[in-house]
PDB file of all heavy atoms in Angstrom:
ATOM      1  N   GLY A  86      96.340 119.035 133.012  1.00 53.00           N
ATOM      2  CA  GLY A  86      95.293 119.006 131.921  1.00 53.00           C
ATOM      3  C   GLY A  86      95.299 120.297 131.216  1.00 53.00           C
ATOM      4  O   GLY A  86      95.161 120.307 129.982  1.00 53.00           O
ATOM      5  N   ARG A  93      97.930 120.919 122.769  1.00 75.00           N
ATOM      6  CA  ARG A  93      97.202 120.562 121.644  1.00 75.00           C
ATOM      7  C   ARG A  93      96.776 121.644 120.718  1.00 75.00           C
ATOM      8  O   ARG A  93      96.553 121.467 119.552  1.00 75.00           O
ATOM      9  CB  ARG A  93      95.959 119.804 122.167  1.00 75.00           C
ATOM     10  CG  ARG A  93      96.230 118.472 122.734  1.00 75.00           C
ATOM     11  CD  ARG A  93      95.053 117.777 123.058  1.00 75.00           C
ATOM     12  NE  ARG A  93      95.416 116.432 123.668  1.00 75.00           N
ATOM     13  CZ  ARG A  93      94.955 116.072 124.844  1.00 75.00           C
ATOM     14  NH1 ARG A  93      94.013 116.630 125.541  1.00 75.00           N
ATOM     15  NH2 ARG A  93      95.326 114.802 125.259  1.00 75.00           N
ATOM     16  N   ILE A 100      99.721 127.926 112.863  1.00 92.00           N
ATOM     17  CA  ILE A 100      99.214 127.981 111.568  1.00 92.00           C
ATOM     18  C   ILE A 100      98.412 129.262 111.385  1.00 92.00           C
ATOM     19  O   ILE A 100      98.573 129.978 110.362  1.00 92.00           O
ATOM     20  CB  ILE A 100      98.339 126.752 111.283  1.00 92.00           C
ATOM     21  CG1 ILE A 100      99.111 125.483 111.134  1.00 92.00           C
ATOM     22  CG2 ILE A 100      97.492 127.017 109.985  1.00 92.00           C
ATOM     23  CD1 ILE A 100      98.331 124.238 111.111  1.00 92.00           C
ATOM     24  N   MET A 110     101.976 140.281 104.806  1.00 92.00           N
ATOM     25  CA  MET A 110     103.125 140.496 103.934  1.00 92.00           C
ATOM     26  C   MET A 110     102.740 140.552 102.510  1.00 92.00           C
ATOM     27  O   MET A 110     103.240 141.375 101.673  1.00 92.00           O
ATOM     28  CB  MET A 110     104.139 139.436 104.236  1.00 92.00           C
ATOM     29  CG  MET A 110     104.833 139.473 105.522  1.00 92.00           C
ATOM     30  SD  MET A 110     105.904 137.998 105.872  1.00 92.00           S
ATOM     31  CE  MET A 110     107.226 138.317 104.613  1.00 92.00           C
ATOM     32  N   LEU A 113     101.427 143.996 102.037  1.00 91.00           N
ATOM     33  CA  LEU A 113     102.593 144.855 101.770  1.00 91.00           C
ATOM     34  C   LEU A 113     103.271 144.618 100.339  1.00 91.00           C
ATOM     35  O   LEU A 113     103.687 145.713  99.691  1.00 91.00           O
ATOM     36  CB  LEU A 113     103.664 144.747 102.836  1.00 91.00           C
ATOM     37  CG  LEU A 113     103.229 145.045 104.295  1.00 91.00           C
ATOM     38  CD1 LEU A 113     104.387 144.722 105.217  1.00 91.00           C
ATOM     39  CD2 LEU A 113     102.799 146.472 104.340  1.00 91.00           C
ATOM     40  N   TYR A 115     101.691 143.867  97.591  1.00 87.00           N
ATOM     41  CA  TYR A 115     100.981 144.615  96.652  1.00 87.00           C
ATOM     42  C   TYR A 115     100.842 146.100  97.006  1.00 87.00           C
ATOM     43  O   TYR A 115     100.035 146.808  96.402  1.00 87.00           O
ATOM     44  CB  TYR A 115      99.578 144.024  96.555  1.00 87.00           C
ATOM     45  CG  TYR A 115      99.589 142.773  95.736  1.00 87.00           C
ATOM     46  CD1 TYR A 115      99.392 141.426  96.394  1.00 87.00           C
ATOM     47  CD2 TYR A 115      99.685 142.736  94.378  1.00 87.00           C
ATOM     48  CE1 TYR A 115      99.333 140.316  95.668  1.00 87.00           C
ATOM     49  CE2 TYR A 115      99.554 141.567  93.621  1.00 87.00           C
ATOM     50  CZ  TYR A 115      99.476 140.321  94.346  1.00 87.00           C
ATOM     51  OH  TYR A 115      99.447 139.165  93.646  1.00 87.00           O
ATOM     52  N   PRO A 120      93.403 145.526  99.793  1.00 86.00           N
ATOM     53  CA  PRO A 120      93.078 145.430 101.186  1.00 86.00           C
ATOM     54  C   PRO A 120      92.323 144.041 101.564  1.00 86.00           C
ATOM     55  O   PRO A 120      92.289 143.628 102.647  1.00 86.00           O
ATOM     56  CB  PRO A 120      92.295 146.629 101.537  1.00 86.00           C
ATOM     57  CG  PRO A 120      91.823 147.162 100.167  1.00 86.00           C
ATOM     58  CD  PRO A 120      92.820 146.649  99.181  1.00 86.00           C
ATOM     59  N   ILE A 139      85.969 122.241 116.108  1.00 87.00           N
ATOM     60  CA  ILE A 139      84.943 121.201 115.887  1.00 87.00           C
ATOM     61  C   ILE A 139      85.473 119.808 115.967  1.00 87.00           C
ATOM     62  O   ILE A 139      84.976 118.882 116.594  1.00 87.00           O
ATOM     63  CB  ILE A 139      84.191 121.472 114.665  1.00 87.00           C
ATOM     64  CG1 ILE A 139      83.279 122.728 114.763  1.00 87.00           C
ATOM     65  CG2 ILE A 139      83.381 120.224 114.128  1.00 87.00           C
ATOM     66  CD1 ILE A 139      82.863 123.196 113.282  1.00 87.00           C
ATOM     67  N   THR A 153      97.906 119.025 109.013  1.00 91.00           N
ATOM     68  CA  THR A 153      98.841 118.959 107.863  1.00 91.00           C
ATOM     69  C   THR A 153      98.167 119.602 106.660  1.00 91.00           C
ATOM     70  O   THR A 153      98.906 120.336 105.942  1.00 91.00           O
ATOM     71  CB  THR A 153      99.156 117.542 107.652  1.00 91.00           C
ATOM     72  OG1 THR A 153      99.666 116.941 108.860  1.00 91.00           O
ATOM     73  CG2 THR A 153     100.124 117.333 106.502  1.00 91.00           C
ATOM     74  N   ILE A 160     100.138 127.437 102.925  1.00 93.00           N
ATOM     75  CA  ILE A 160     101.351 127.685 102.098  1.00 93.00           C
ATOM     76  C   ILE A 160     100.986 127.893 100.611  1.00 93.00           C
ATOM     77  O   ILE A 160     101.489 128.836  99.989  1.00 93.00           O
ATOM     78  CB  ILE A 160     102.411 126.699 102.332  1.00 93.00           C
ATOM     79  CG1 ILE A 160     102.972 126.652 103.809  1.00 93.00           C
ATOM     80  CG2 ILE A 160     103.624 126.802 101.355  1.00 93.00           C
ATOM     81  CD1 ILE A 160     103.830 125.542 104.157  1.00 93.00           C
ATOM     82  N   LYS A 175      89.720 131.306  93.676  1.00 92.00           N
ATOM     83  CA  LYS A 175      88.973 130.168  93.289  1.00 92.00           C
ATOM     84  C   LYS A 175      89.536 128.987  94.163  1.00 92.00           C
ATOM     85  O   LYS A 175      88.701 128.044  94.583  1.00 92.00           O
ATOM     86  CB  LYS A 175      89.245 129.856  91.871  1.00 92.00           C
ATOM     87  CG  LYS A 175      88.522 130.766  90.888  1.00 92.00           C
ATOM     88  CD  LYS A 175      88.863 130.445  89.459  1.00 92.00           C
ATOM     89  CE  LYS A 175      88.353 131.435  88.507  1.00 92.00           C
ATOM     90  NZ  LYS A 175      88.616 131.238  87.158  1.00 92.00           N
ATOM     91  N   ALA A 219      88.807  93.153  82.673  1.00 88.00           N
ATOM     92  CA  ALA A 219      89.619  92.124  81.914  1.00 88.00           C
ATOM     93  C   ALA A 219      88.890  91.677  80.693  1.00 88.00           C
ATOM     94  O   ALA A 219      89.509  91.466  79.645  1.00 88.00           O
ATOM     95  CB  ALA A 219      89.877  91.009  82.889  1.00 88.00           C
ATOM     96  N   TYR A 221      85.991  93.401  79.017  1.00 86.00           N
ATOM     97  CA  TYR A 221      85.478  94.427  78.201  1.00 86.00           C
ATOM     98  C   TYR A 221      86.553  95.667  77.969  1.00 86.00           C
ATOM     99  O   TYR A 221      86.210  96.586  77.219  1.00 86.00           O
ATOM    100  CB  TYR A 221      84.216  95.052  78.533  1.00 86.00           C
ATOM    101  CG  TYR A 221      83.077  93.981  78.587  1.00 86.00           C
ATOM    102  CD1 TYR A 221      82.576  93.470  79.676  1.00 86.00           C
ATOM    103  CD2 TYR A 221      82.611  93.590  77.272  1.00 86.00           C
ATOM    104  CE1 TYR A 221      81.523  92.483  79.567  1.00 86.00           C
ATOM    105  CE2 TYR A 221      81.623  92.667  77.303  1.00 86.00           C
ATOM    106  CZ  TYR A 221      81.111  92.128  78.356  1.00 86.00           C
ATOM    107  OH  TYR A 221      80.097  91.220  78.444  1.00 86.00           O
ATOM    108  N   ILE A 232      87.181 101.089  80.079  1.00 85.00           N
ATOM    109  CA  ILE A 232      85.970 100.522  79.563  1.00 85.00           C
ATOM    110  C   ILE A 232      85.247 101.779  78.846  1.00 85.00           C
ATOM    111  O   ILE A 232      85.051 102.770  79.510  1.00 85.00           O
ATOM    112  CB  ILE A 232      85.145  99.920  80.628  1.00 85.00           C
ATOM    113  CG1 ILE A 232      85.752  98.699  81.306  1.00 85.00           C
ATOM    114  CG2 ILE A 232      83.705  99.449  80.027  1.00 85.00           C
ATOM    115  CD1 ILE A 232      85.020  98.067  82.414  1.00 85.00           C
ATOM    116  N   ILE A 237      81.874 107.185  76.147  1.00 85.00           N
ATOM    117  CA  ILE A 237      82.475 107.651  77.411  1.00 85.00           C
ATOM    118  C   ILE A 237      83.398 106.697  77.904  1.00 85.00           C
ATOM    119  O   ILE A 237      82.987 105.402  78.268  1.00 85.00           O
ATOM    120  CB  ILE A 237      81.381 107.992  78.444  1.00 85.00           C
ATOM    121  CG1 ILE A 237      80.317 109.025  77.854  1.00 85.00           C
ATOM    122  CG2 ILE A 237      81.772 108.483  79.757  1.00 85.00           C
ATOM    123  CD1 ILE A 237      79.167 109.284  78.679  1.00 85.00           C
ATOM    124  N   PHE A 249      87.761  99.503  97.519  1.00 89.00           N
ATOM    125  CA  PHE A 249      88.721  98.656  98.224  1.00 89.00           C
ATOM    126  C   PHE A 249      89.050  99.422  99.623  1.00 89.00           C
ATOM    127  O   PHE A 249      89.137  98.809 100.654  1.00 89.00           O
ATOM    128  CB  PHE A 249      89.994  98.648  97.444  1.00 89.00           C
ATOM    129  CG  PHE A 249      91.038  97.683  98.096  1.00 89.00           C
ATOM    130  CD1 PHE A 249      90.804  96.326  98.078  1.00 89.00           C
ATOM    131  CD2 PHE A 249      92.163  98.218  98.601  1.00 89.00           C
ATOM    132  CE1 PHE A 249      91.777  95.451  98.772  1.00 89.00           C
ATOM    133  CE2 PHE A 249      93.100  97.416  99.246  1.00 89.00           C
ATOM    134  CZ  PHE A 249      92.917  95.996  99.270  1.00 89.00           C
ATOM    135  N   LEU A 260      85.839  97.381 116.886  1.00 60.00           N
ATOM    136  CA  LEU A 260      86.467  97.722 118.132  1.00 60.00           C
ATOM    137  C   LEU A 260      86.889  96.544 118.940  1.00 60.00           C
ATOM    138  O   LEU A 260      86.334  95.408 118.739  1.00 60.00           O
ATOM    139  CB  LEU A 260      85.493  98.549 118.913  1.00 60.00           C
ATOM    140  CG  LEU A 260      84.881  99.840 118.208  1.00 60.00           C
ATOM    141  CD1 LEU A 260      83.904 100.476 119.064  1.00 60.00           C
ATOM    142  CD2 LEU A 260      86.101 100.846 118.034  1.00 60.00           C
ATOM    143  N   LYS A 272      83.116  80.682 121.545  1.00 59.00           N
ATOM    144  CA  LYS A 272      83.371  79.712 122.646  1.00 59.00           C
ATOM    145  C   LYS A 272      82.054  79.049 122.986  1.00 59.00           C
ATOM    146  O   LYS A 272      82.047  77.897 123.287  1.00 59.00           O
ATOM    147  CB  LYS A 272      83.969  80.412 123.825  1.00 59.00           C
ATOM    148  CG  LYS A 272      85.535  80.698 123.655  1.00 59.00           C
ATOM    149  CD  LYS A 272      85.928  81.242 124.982  1.00 59.00           C
ATOM    150  CE  LYS A 272      87.473  81.623 124.788  1.00 59.00           C
ATOM    151  NZ  LYS A 272      88.052  82.176 126.000  1.00 59.00           N
TER     152      LYS A 272
END
Side-chain angles (χ1 to χ4, degrees):
R93 288 187 182 129
I100 292 171
M110 289 173 65
L113 295 177
Y115 283 107
I139 289 171
T153 304
I160 292 169
K175 290 178 186 175
Y221 298 109
I232 296 177
I237 299 172
F249 188 72
L260 299 173
K272 283 183 182 178

